[in-house]
Amino acid sequence: MFLCLPVWAQPAAEPEFEAAWLKPNPSVELSALIPANGKLLGKCVTLMRLISFAYDVPFARVSGPPWLDSAAFDVQAKGKVGTKDAEIRLMTRRLLAERFGLECHREIKPGRVYFLVRDGGGPKMVPADEPQPPNPKLPRSFHPLIAGDVTIDEFAAVLSRYVAVPVIDRTGVSGKFHFYLWWGSNPETDPDIFQAVKEQLGLKLQPGNSDVEFLVIDRVSRTPSEN
């Protein structure tokens, strides 16, 4: 049985950008989304990524049409100078509702997950209050994942973006750490992300099932309204 919570509407009192511009970008480029100083700037940003940012939910916990991963846009949105990132997320929610007609709700349902657990010898991360060792120089074929001054729970949320299902922290380890993780794309010579987590962090991704909170898309348009 699923637990459904109210649809997330956009009340008039929510903050909004002073001006916002969206342009479809069908090219396959390196995407970027930068919230800073009251602005939201994006290049070739998918609708999935905009929704994920607005609601602070990993990709793996967004349930919607498959084209969310392919409909991409250049974004320029301007708010007041000094606006914090948390408020920019609320402004992005309103932008998505007004331009894409986005309606969504939260839903708790069972799903496939990975539990992040300790692997025998214990964690190998460096505590955040200690100097981070220099990161190794890697060939361009490798995928580095760097995170500093974050908890394991926060890092697990980041990992979920790369393994396509939610990652839940079950290490029982508290505190904040420096994380540096790298994996490659050649299965014959490079570690995959599962090997990397085990060998480089002293942790393990263990498959399982659990109740997970999803952001379910009820309605959204692939084409935004005019600027």
Short mmCIF file of all heavy atoms in Angstrom, two decimals, residues 12 86 186:
data_model
loop_
_atom_site.label_atom_id
_atom_site.label_comp_id
_atom_site.label_asym_id
_atom_site.label_seq_id
_atom_site.Cartn_x
_atom_site.Cartn_y
_atom_site.Cartn_z
N ALA A 12 0.66 31.60 -3.90
CA ALA A 12 1.06 32.91 -4.41
C ALA A 12 2.13 33.55 -3.55
O ALA A 12 2.89 34.40 -4.00
CB ALA A 12 -0.16 33.81 -4.50
N ALA A 86 18.42 27.93 -0.66
CA ALA A 86 17.14 27.33 -0.26
C ALA A 86 15.97 28.09 -0.85
O ALA A 86 14.97 27.49 -1.28
CB ALA A 86 17.04 27.27 1.26
N ASN A 186 36.25 1.39 -18.37
CA ASN A 186 36.77 0.16 -19.00
C ASN A 186 36.71 -0.98 -17.98
O ASN A 186 37.49 -1.02 -17.04
CB ASN A 186 38.21 0.37 -19.46
CG ASN A 186 38.73 -0.81 -20.26
OD1 ASN A 186 38.25 -1.95 -20.12
ND2 ASN A 186 39.71 -0.57 -21.12
#
